[in-house]
Amino acid sequence: MTFTVTEEKIASVQADCEIVIVVDGNLDHKWVADKTDLETLDFKGKLDSVAFLPHQHRVYTGVDSLDRDEVRLAVANALKAIQRAKYTSVKIGAYVKECPVTNTKAIVEGALLGTYRYDRYKSEKEPFTIDEMLLSLEEYADKRLETEPAKKAAAEAEIIAEVTNHAKEIVNTPPEDMTPVLLGEYAFEMAKELENVTCFIGDENFLEEQKMGAFLAVSRASAHPPRFIHLVYKPENAEKRFVFVGKGLTYDSGGLSLKPSEHMVSMKADKSGAASAISILEGAARMKLPFEVHAIVGACENMIGGNAYKPDDVLTARNGKTIEVRNTDAEGRLVLADCLCYATDQKPDYLVDMATLTGACVVAVGEYTTGVMGHSDPLKEEIMTAAAKSGELTGELPFNRYLRQLLKSNIADLSNISSSRYGGAITAALFLDNFVADDYKEKWIHLDIAGPAYVEKDWGYNQTGASGAGVRMCLYWMKEHTYGDDHHKKEQ
Ligand code: BES
Ligand code: ZN
Ligand code: ZN
């Protein structure tokens, strides 16, 4: 879908159909041309209500307020209601709230995120004919506001939503069609298309050289070799260095600590952290953000076989720490351990890892919310504020020293699982903490996206399957990043 932002009045814009956002039941707004019909239909003009009037070629979609996420949802709902009507273009008027660009941004994001479909393997694809959205900035003219920022914001929103959809596409792809090698090729091809982006792909030999003993052990039983993916976006005069690390398990069978069948289904989504890191880098490069951005991905499969790593094995990670394996299904933290060591060597100003790390996180905060962990309160707050604006849900999970003690091992430096069944999302993060060098602890954030990365039902403007969790929040965060903030407050 392409977006054309225009100063023209909505009434004179030419399109097959008009979307009208109705705010809190206000049917007296000048854009509401069908008040009587809407009253007959008992359209309340509240969130999640839609009325399509095919003869008038208008679709009304309600919000309780002009909150950005309500607007995203309203636009997605409207497009869903008219998707079978075979229109090719739609028009919509943008409202001006306190900030004159948020509404425009939300409309574009709602349209692109809401119309994503994963139909690669469907013989009969549901047709979707709308390929143009015309956005009228009539209210801007009325209020004598500049329209240039809104146009820029629309272009930015388009990038953010498109790369979120790219992350969804990677995650939704079945494991045989998105093996570690294929994920590496995807990243490599993507880099070729982007300015100032380079891509390094490492194989098993590289992992050996790097002494990534934990990552190698997890990968060993798979017929598909592992890949270490390192993408760098480096514009001239970059102001800060952001490093994103993604868990890229293209399949997680659990390994010898095999998952029961019902828990194995959907484990193609265990590459979601990787998909998000790669797509964030794509977004940063396309938005031409003034930062150096890295995406570091550990891609492999956790499988069974004669050469599989075993419970009782002791592994040595890149920083020399030894790990007693007590459960091969806690594999993500092993791959991330080595990737985080490598990531801290890049001397990041900010280090964010993203992973579908624990079922415990889903139990703790529910399936729609990302668990946010780390040592720096201001940094956590900054990311969570950006997430809220982006439409992603987050919840903070606090560290404490008692939970840290649960990772002790009798024979190695630490165990890969906690000795308690409680607090599993936090103990997993505290495991990772062992691989973040001291100087970088305050710069590090761990995002457990096990819930929202992949939900097998529609929710809001997200479709069943992958949602691209982490992408929007991190792009909003970098975009709105305020320089000079002091994130170096010490932990408790
Ligand atoms: N990939 C899973 C976590 C997961 C579970 C993601 C459900 C999405 C939905 C991870 O590798 C795993 O298996 N974790 C174990 C850890 C346990 C063995 C300590 C878990 O959560 O059960
Ligand atoms: Zn696992
Ligand atoms: Zn996993």
Side-chain angles (χ1 to χ4, degrees):
M1 198 185 306
T2 61
F3 295 86
T4 308
V5 185
T6 165
E7 282 94 4
E8 239 182 277
K9 284 200 182 303
I10 185 84
S12 55
V13 174
Q14 293 299 311
D16 295 348
C17 181
E18 179 178 351
I19 297 176
V20 183
I21 299 174
V22 178
V23 187
D24 195 24
N26 178 13
L27 297 181
D28 295 318
H29 191 278
K30 64 174 175 181
W31 291 340
V32 179
D34 308 285
K35 187 175 176 184
T36 323
D37 283 351
L38 292 172
E39 282 170 348
T40 308
L41 288 169
D42 199 25
F43 173 73
K44 293 275 191 297
K46 292 285 193 177
L47 189 63
D48 251 342
S49 63
V50 184
F52 176 29
L53 308 180
H55 293 294
Q56 285 87 338
H57 301 300
R58 269 190 284 273
V59 56
Y60 290 88
T61 183
V63 290
D64 295 341
S65 74
L66 282 174
D67 165 81
R68 351 175 167 221
D69 217 40
E70 291 195 32
V71 173
R72 291 185 191 103
L73 181 57
V75 172
N77 285 343
L79 287 167
K80 197 169 178 186
I82 59 172
Q83 68 181 353
R84 286 170 192 278
K86 306 216 166 49
Y87 294 127
T88 60
S89 60
V90 289
K91 60 179 179 176
I92 183 168
Y95 289 95
V96 178
K97 223 192 138 195
E98 314 97 47
C99 168
V101 301
T102 52
N103 200 246
T104 314
K105 248 177 133 169
I107 289 171
V108 174
E109 288 174 353
L112 284 174
L113 295 167
T115 52
Y116 170 81
R117 300 280 174 277
Y118 188 66
D119 57 9
R120 185 167 153 191
Y121 297 88
K122 289 270 187 200
S123 306
E124 275 182 36
K125 307 195 195 296
E126 254 184 54
F128 185 77
T129 50
I130 300 167
D131 59 15
E132 191 184 14
M133 180 176 258
L134 298 118
L135 245 138
S136 161
L137 301 180
E138 162 176 351
E139 270 210 3
Y140 288 65
D142 293 353
K143 299 193 175 174
R144 297 186 197 289
L145 285 166
E146 260 192 81
T147 52
E148 210 40 50
K151 289 183 178 172
K152 266 192 161 159
E156 210 166 74
E158 214 176 317
I159 297 173
I160 293 176
E162 270 176 21
V163 302
T164 304
N165 288 344
H166 289 171
K168 295 181 195 175
E169 196 74 12
I170 295 173
V171 174
N172 284 328
T173 304
E176 277 307 294
D177 291 338
M178 194 52 86
T179 60
V181 170
L182 292 170
L183 185 62
E185 283 173 13
Y186 174 95
F188 196 82
E189 292 304 314
M190 181 191 92
K192 281 207 264 180
E193 302 294 313
L194 297 167
E195 257 174 65
N196 298 324
V197 175
T198 53
C199 180
F200 167 79
I201 311 275
D203 60 9
E204 299 102 306
N205 297 326
F206 175 80
L207 300 186
E208 295 272 7
E209 272 163 40
Q210 290 286 322
K211 300 194 174 2
M212 294 185 167
F215 184 173
L216 267 169
V218 173
S219 328
R220 211 165 58 210
S222 172
H224 297 293
R227 286 292 182 262
F228 176 85
I229 305 168
H230 184 185
L231 286 156
V232 184
Y233 160 61
K234 196 171 182 173
E236 257 176 60
N237 307 322
E239 292 161 13
K240 289 257 164 85
R241 186 176 297 134
F242 288 77
V243 176
F244 295 93
V245 177
K247 170 177 174 182
L249 266 288
T250 58
Y251 204 69
D252 180 12
S253 72
L256 290 177
S257 312
L258 196 64
K259 284 184 185 294
S261 332
E262 64 276 18
H263 287 165
M264 209 183 291
V265 182
S266 80
M267 279 302 139
K268 65 173 182 180
D270 219 19
K271 56 180 165 346
S272 297
S276 295
I278 293 170
S279 304
I280 288 166
L281 188 129
E282 184 189 4
R286 286 178 55 186
M287 285 160 79
K288 301 196 190 312
L289 293 182
F291 307 120
E292 184 177 316
V293 181
H294 294 233
I296 293 169
V297 163
C300 66
E301 274 193 342
N302 186 21
M303 300 297 282
I304 54 172
N307 62 345
Y309 83 124
K310 311 164 191 67
D312 287 349
D313 274 344
V314 174
L315 316 174
T316 307
R318 191 173 181 274
N319 65 353
K321 287 202 184 178
T322 57
I323 307 160
E324 179 190 0
V325 177
R326 294 184 70 86
N327 189 318
T328 63
D329 198 12
E331 84 300 335
R333 62 192 76 183
L334 297 173
V335 173
L336 286 175
D338 283 333
C339 292
L340 280 168
C341 293
Y342 180 96
T344 47
D345 279 359
Q346 311 303 311
K347 301 189 170 39
D349 293 304
Y350 298 102
L351 172 61
V352 180
D353 80 78
M354 287 169 294
T356 45
L357 204 62
T358 64
C361 190
V362 193
V363 174
V365 294
E367 58 199 322
Y368 308 110
T369 302
T370 293
V372 179
M373 286 153 266
H375 298 288
S376 163
D377 291 335
L379 187 52
K380 279 184 276 190
E381 203 179 298
E382 203 180 287
I383 279 219
M384 291 172 77
T385 307
K389 288 183 184 165
S390 79
E392 289 199 54
L393 302 173
T394 55
E396 197 210 327
L397 301 172
F399 290 162
N400 67 59
R401 61 177 160 282
Y402 307 107
L403 286 173
R404 190 190 294 279
Q405 285 164 7
L406 303 174
L407 290 163
K408 284 198 173 133
S409 157
N410 291 329
I411 65 158
D413 297 337
L414 72 159
S415 163
N416 83 325
I417 54 165
S418 158
S419 54
S420 156
R421 47 196 288 243
Y422 304 115
I426 302 173
T427 50
L430 288 168
F431 176 91
L432 297 179
D433 174 60
N434 283 281
F435 304 93
V436 176
D438 283 348
D439 288 351
Y440 297 95
K441 297 237 190 265
E442 297 289 316
K443 301 172 178 178
W444 168 60
I445 289 285
H446 164 61
L447 301 175
D448 193 331
I449 54 172
Y454 195 87
V455 179
E456 282 197 314
K457 55 195 165 218
D458 292 350
W459 51 296
Y461 43 81
N462 301 288
Q463 302 72 21
T464 182
S467 75
V471 177
R472 290 184 292 146
M473 75 167 90
C474 290
L475 287 172
Y476 265 70
W477 173 52
M478 282 196 282
K479 175 71 200 162
E480 299 194 358
H481 193 67
T482 47
Y483 312 117
D485 279 355
D486 181 17
H487 296 306
H488 304 279
K489 204 183 132 232
K490 276 273 13 101
E491 196 195 348
Q492 343 123 29

